[in-house]
Amino acid sequence: MSSRLKDVAARAGVSVRTVSNVVSGAAPVAVETRRRVQEAIDALGYHPNLAARSLRAGRTGIIGLAIPELHSPYFGELAGLLVDEARRRSWTVLIDQTRGDTEAERRLLTPGGGRVVDGLIISPWALDPAELAAAQSSVPLVLLGERDPHGAADRVAVDNVAAADDATNHLIGLGRRRIAAIGSQPHLGNGTAQLRTEGYRRALDRAGLFHDQEFQRPVRALNRADGARAMNELLDGPAVPDAVFAFSDELALGALHTAHQRGLRVPEDLAIVGFDDIEDGRFSNPPLTTVSPDKQQIAERSLQCLADRIYSPGNNVPPQELTVPHRLVVRSTT
């Protein structure tokens, strides 16, 4: 005979409602309580009838995740964590790639018939805050990143100004004085890059260091090739930097590759700091110092925000702006 919800509740020593909340993600449950319930579910082999539950509630059990680049290691790692967290709530995730295209992002936020997903998590690169604020999404919405929609939707982000300040200040503390920044994207109006530039400049100003425009290199994309190209431009310039803060680990790895090709010693001649803490940076030669955003918390908080909106659509709770922590991981490139 198959186990029932009340059997799980009895084994875990909790109410049936608590078990239901753990299974559905409809409400937050204390970590220890969730652990006991999950152990009871595993021990009893309980399998909720997801199709019936969704049909009764008028939901599909499917959520959407829209990210700019599937090939990006950062977004790939984050997507994996989001899928794992969604699975714990018995949700299926449909993943879309926008490539930072305005029309692709706008299409996802435009109400349409035949709703497929119960909610959407999106990392917008192209739409500006005003357009995001005006968008009337047909489903509950959570935004990842720096595009602030003026309080019109839940948003989960890293404090990029503080993180970039920390990275630059680390280089200053090492005695570096000619610190370059790779990663501005003026063609996109990328809010992330703008905030990281602000943090970089703030640290330089505090230390009394001049931020030379020649040391701030724009890129088309946050990838290795653009990092390598920007590093070559810096080394061919009138003044050679003794440190680089790159706005992504991929850019930093490209800069590291160029430094090796040009005969520079890292970190003796050139110190390098990246951002994202992707796996490749842990195995580069030398291993990459980086800003590590708490990707696990980004996944957990995003899905909790989405669950709150899906299961309590009329609660009139104002949209939340959640900032997740970051830390500087010091490795051999500094």
Side-chain angles (χ1 to χ4, degrees):
M1 180 175 162
S2 61
S3 298
R4 296 167 298 177
L5 208 64
K6 67 178 184 179
D7 299 324
V8 176
R11 185 180 181 96
V14 299
S15 68
V16 170
R17 177 175 292 276
T18 297
V19 176
S20 178
N21 286 338
V22 170
V23 171
S24 68
V29 177
V31 173
E32 177 59 25
T33 303
R34 180 182 291 276
R35 183 190 63 77
R36 293 207 319 271
V37 171
Q38 190 60 55
E39 286 180 352
I41 288 172
D42 294 341
L44 295 174
Y46 172 70
H47 298 287
N49 189 332
L50 303 179
R53 189 184 75 201
S54 297
L55 186 62
R56 288 194 301 271
R59 293 187 289 265
T60 65
I62 301 171
I63 64 168
L65 171 62
I67 55 178
E69 299 171 335
L70 287 173
H71 64 269
S72 160
Y74 171 77
F75 283 113
E77 289 179 21
L78 182 58
L81 292 170
L82 283 161
V83 169
D84 288 343
E85 285 298 311
R87 186 177 293 121
R88 293 187 181 95
R89 297 172 182 271
S90 301
W91 286 345
T92 297
V93 182
L94 295 182
I95 300 177
D96 199 353
Q97 175 177 250
T98 66
R99 297 190 183 278
D101 177 72
T102 303
E103 288 306 316
E105 293 179 2
R106 189 178 290 131
R107 172 179 53 80
L108 289 168
L109 298 177
T110 300
R115 189 184 77 175
V116 174
V117 298
D118 296 329
L120 174 66
I121 298 173
I122 180 172
S123 178
W125 271 9
L127 295 181
D128 61 33
E131 190 161 10
L132 287 169
Q136 298 295 315
S137 177
S138 58
V139 296
L141 180 68
V142 175
L143 303 176
L144 301 179
E146 291 60 52
R147 287 288 201 263
D148 180 2
H150 308 302
D154 293 318
R155 184 167 66 95
V156 180
V158 175
D159 187 340
N160 278 289
V161 175
D165 188 323
D166 290 346
T168 309
N169 193 57
H170 171 64
L171 293 169
I172 293 169
L174 296 174
R176 309 298 168 128
R177 293 296 179 265
R178 302 185 309 279
I179 302 171
I182 297 176
S184 64
Q185 293 184 291
H187 64 290
L188 284 181
N190 188 320
T192 302
Q194 291 169 358
L195 293 173
R196 291 179 189 175
T197 299
E198 181 182 341
Y200 158 77
R201 290 176 175 172
R202 187 171 76 179
L204 293 180
D205 287 340
R206 192 172 55 247
L209 298 177
F210 178 66
H211 39 84
D212 189 336
Q213 196 62 39
E214 283 295 315
F215 275 2
Q216 298 170 52
R217 306 307 304 175
V219 296
R220 294 294 301 176
L222 305 177
N223 57 30
R224 292 169 175 82
D226 273 34
R229 177 193 54 76
M231 191 70 246
N232 268 313
E233 291 173 355
L234 287 166
L235 295 177
D236 290 336
V240 175
D242 59 10
V244 168
F245 168 42
F247 292 1
S248 78
D249 280 356
E250 287 195 85
L251 290 171
L253 292 172
L256 178 62
H257 174 75
T258 292
H260 286 324
Q261 282 192 321
R262 300 285 291 263
L264 296 178
R265 298 168 301 160
V266 177
E268 292 85 356
D269 301 322
L270 181 74
I272 301 176
V273 177
F275 202 116
D276 290 337
D277 194 18
I278 65 173
E279 186 176 23
D280 287 358
R282 298 165 214 162
F283 294 94
S284 62
N285 184 25
L288 181 65
T289 293
T290 185
V291 175
S292 178
D294 193 329
K295 293 188 278 284
Q296 182 64 44
Q297 280 207 38
I298 293 174
E300 291 174 359
R301 293 189 178 196
S302 300
L303 285 166
Q304 186 57 58
C305 284
L306 202 61
D308 291 343
R309 299 297 173 187
I310 291 172
Y311 293 110
S312 303
N315 61 9
N316 296 319
V317 175
Q320 303 179 73
E321 292 191 10
L322 302 176
T323 302
V324 301
H326 67 271
R327 63 191 179 96
L328 184 69
V329 180
V330 179
R331 301 194 183 104
S332 302
T333 57
T334 60

